[in-house]
């Protein structure tokens, strides 16, 4: 929580009770994604008059400053960014249990070498399959 508040302050965002409650909820989702609908339901349980616009705006702002990440395949899912020192990274997502594992390597140099003369402006990579635990359970 302290790191998230520090990042909000560095980016000139007010530290409000709503934002700290949102961060507190999101902290539970560092190894899997949570739907924006679940986030909205939680926030409305605390603040019944909170609008969708407020929730979406805060999540977008959090993504812009690196507090949350949207899933590449489904932008209605987010997870709390747990590694603030390595903002650029990629994920393996288990299709069975939803566990998200951070990948340390970035294959962009490999792709850039195949595109001489091209200008790459960005990328996002997620790898999907079964995590080791789910693979083991299915084999058993």
């Amino acid at each position: 929580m302290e790191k998230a508040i520090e990042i909000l302050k560095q980016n000139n965002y007010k530290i409000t009770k709503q934002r700290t409650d949102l961060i507190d909820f999101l902290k539970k989702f560092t190894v899997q994604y949570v739907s924006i609908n679940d986030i909205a339901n939680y926030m409305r349980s605390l603040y019944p008059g909170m609008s969708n616009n407020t929730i979406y705006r805060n999540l977008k702002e959090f993504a812009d400053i690196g507090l949350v990440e949207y899933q590449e395949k489904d932008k209605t899912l987010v997870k709390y960014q747990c590694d603030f020192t390595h903002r650029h990274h990629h994920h393996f997502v288990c299709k069975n249990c939803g566990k998200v594992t951070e990948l340390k390597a970035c294959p962009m140099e490999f792709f850039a070498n195949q595109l001489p003369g091209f200008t790459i402006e960005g990328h996002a990579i997620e790898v999907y399959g079964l995590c080791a635990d789910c693979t083991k359970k299915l084999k058993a």
Side-chain angles (χ1 to χ4, degrees), residues 1 3-5 8 16-17 21 23 27 38 58-59 80 83 91 98 109 115 136:
M1 178 68 84
K3 185 64 177 172
I5 296 214
L8 284 170
T16 64
K17 178 80 171 118
D21 287 340
I23 291 167
K27 285 188 325 186
D38 288 345
N58 275 282
L59 290 173
Y80 186 70
D83 186 356
H91 295 135
E109 187 175 319
L115 301 166
K136 186 187 288 185

Side-chain angles (χ1 to χ4, degrees), residues 11-39:
N11 288 277
N12 300 314
Y13 287 101
K14 289 182 182 177
I15 310 306
T16 64
K17 178 80 171 118
Q18 290 89 348
R19 283 191 176 128
T20 56
D21 287 340
L22 178 56
I23 291 167
D24 195 48
F25 179 74
L26 290 168
K27 285 188 325 186
K28 300 171 189 169
F29 300 95
T30 59
V31 296
Q32 77 183 100
Y33 290 99
V34 61
S35 77
I36 293 174
N37 283 340
D38 288 345
I39 296 167

